[in-house]
Amino acid sequence: MTRVWKWNRPVTVREVLEDLQQERSIAYTTVMTVLDNLHQKGWVRREAEGRAYRYEAVSTRAAYAAALMNEAWTQSDNPAAALVAFFGMMSPEQREALRDAVRMVQGPEETPAPQNPTAENPEAENPAVENPAVENPAVENPEAENPVGENPAAAGGETGR
């Protein structure tokens, strides 16, 4: 799939084979079998071109990654704790990318909130002071099955995919 996504166009078995052979020795029939399996699973579509097929990705790599993340998240018995643990594993660059993505999804804010509302109006209510307890299921139960920061897949040596 990496080769098909990289080129972002319909590819032949021969093209993928020649590209892979720059890194290692591999048989034409192996590449053909893998592309056929990807077609059977619905990851690529193919069109006949003479006696060969041209294979094209059904979705983007980003859409595939998003589907994997969504699948893992929805299978959790505590989605909030899973997200907290996932965010804890992220690098600063990944967290910044996450913030950018959230901004893209939310769109521009109509009126930006002041940075310090009490500085302009000391009488203003401060919801953070009014309600300091923020509900966080991962923190509420420190003895949870998957504590924050622990990667259950890493503990067993499995990657999940």
Side-chain angles (χ1 to χ4, degrees), residues 131-151:
N131 185 9
V134 177
E135 189 174 322
N136 186 337
V139 174
E140 280 181 15
N141 185 1
E143 310 258 333
E145 190 174 318
N146 291 323
V148 174
E150 182 176 304
N151 182 348

Side-chain angles (χ1 to χ4, degrees), residues 4 7-12 15 45 47 49 54-57:
V4 177
W7 291 323
N8 196 28
R9 64 171 174 77
V11 297
T12 64
E15 290 173 314
R45 63 178 143 267
E47 269 188 46
E49 184 176 280
R54 283 206 173 266
Y55 295 86
E56 184 176 18

Side-chain angles (χ1 to χ4, degrees), residues 4-23:
V4 177
W5 282 321
K6 179 176 90 172
W7 291 323
N8 196 28
R9 64 171 174 77
V11 297
T12 64
V13 171
R14 176 75 50 204
E15 290 173 314
V16 175
L17 172 72
E18 289 171 0
D19 192 46
L20 288 170
Q21 283 181 333
Q22 293 177 16
E23 299 170 15

Side-chain angles (χ1 to χ4, degrees), residues 66-83 145-146 152-153 158-161:
L68 285 177
M69 288 186 282
N70 186 56
E71 179 184 340
W73 184 52
T74 57
Q75 289 181 5
S76 172
D77 60 348
N78 189 341
L83 284 174
E145 190 174 318
N146 291 323
E158 298 176 9
T159 61
R161 294 273 169 199

